[in-house]
Amino acid sequence: SFRVCGEDRIGIVFYGDGASSTGAWHEGLNFAAVQRCPMILIVENNQWAFSTPTSKNTRVSSFTEKGPGYGIDAEAVDGTDVLAVFDAVRRAALQVRSGGGTHMIELNYFRRKGHAQHDPQDYVDPAVIRAWEKKDPLDLYRSKLLHNEWASEDELVAIEEETFEECRVAAEAAIAEPYPEGTEAVTGVYTDVPTPHPWTRSSSPDPTLA
């Protein structure tokens, strides 16, 4: 739609490693490649598709191997390195904006929590989780900022406090909001103007005309 409207914009789609094993993913990838959509696909390879390890989710050693099969350039990057991710996305954006078509980026890191609150993640070795705690991207980036003197400890603490306060205010505002009416659940989902579909009959067939 950006291209049709003549807008200098690109789309970015995030999805997990498990999604790349679904039919819809392959259909979408083929469509994006054929149409040369101005889009960046980012696969978050956190090594687990819910409780299924990557080794049982795909035969390829890297999800970047799936891109070229559809004519899409792909690259992998350390998902725990904030600057490496930024640089990869910036390069991809330049390529996409210049008419290079869809580009894929694989972010390699680890999911240290369960798939959702109901998931205790007891299928993962606790030692592996502890090892990845040392590779937390926020902690690593914070250390890099301080080491290179790009920011001071006081500045980072101020940012953290401001962020936590902003989240607290937003959370309290959301909790205080009244629940919507049940009828609002379909607002914007279905049209309120009945329209007959061209592939359906508007009336029962006349058996005498058969």
Side-chain angles (χ1 to χ4, degrees):
S1 62
F2 297 155
R3 187 169 58 198
V4 171
C5 294
E7 300 178 4
D8 183 26
R9 300 169 63 189
I10 63 175
I12 300 182
V13 178
F14 291 83
Y15 56 92
D17 44 290
S20 70
S21 293
T22 65
W25 182 86
H26 287 274
E27 293 176 9
L29 197 66
N30 185 63
F31 179 87
V34 172
Q35 298 297 325
R36 300 187 67 79
C37 295
M39 182 167 61
I40 300 174
L41 304 174
I42 297 183
V43 52
E44 301 178 75
N45 182 10
N46 56 35
Q47 303 184 37
W48 289 92
F50 202 144
S51 58
T52 303
T54 303
S55 60
K56 294 185 178 180
N57 182 35
T58 181
R59 286 284 295 170
V60 299
S61 58
S62 171
F63 288 93
T64 57
E65 296 179 39
K66 297 187 177 185
Y70 290 94
I72 291 178
D73 291 335
E75 64 177 303
V77 66
D78 181 359
T80 68
D81 188 330
V82 173
L83 295 182
V85 173
F86 177 83
D87 188 53
V89 174
R90 179 172 55 183
R91 291 196 311 272
L94 290 174
Q95 175 181 316
V96 172
R97 290 184 188 279
S98 64
T102 303
H103 188 88
M104 180 190 296
I105 299 175
E106 175 184 1
L107 304 184
N108 292 300
Y109 58 101
F110 190 81
R111 193 191 73 202
R112 289 164 46 203
K113 296 291 185 180
H115 187 74
Q117 287 187 336
H118 65 269
D119 178 14
Q121 204 178 21
D122 51 9
Y123 44 83
V124 181
D125 185 347
V128 174
I129 297 177
R130 288 195 298 271
W132 276 92
E133 287 178 354
K134 301 176 182 179
K135 302 178 182 180
D136 185 293
L138 293 181
D139 292 340
L140 292 176
Y141 187 50
R142 194 179 198 282
S143 297
K144 183 172 293 186
L145 289 173
L146 293 173
H147 176 75
N148 290 285
E149 298 183 348
W150 294 337
S152 67
E153 180 69 28
D154 290 342
E155 289 175 320
L156 295 181
V157 170
I159 292 174
E160 291 174 352
E161 292 178 347
E162 180 181 353
T163 302
F164 279 118
E165 178 62 15
E166 183 177 344
C167 291
R168 184 191 65 78
V169 172
E172 290 184 354
I175 293 173
E177 283 286 326
Y179 284 102
E181 296 294 331
T183 54
E184 293 186 27
V186 295
T187 301
V189 178
Y190 301 103
T191 179
D192 55 0
V193 180
T195 304
H197 297 294
W199 58 84
T200 59
R201 296 190 178 98
S202 59
S203 60
S204 300
D206 186 345
T208 63
L209 300 178

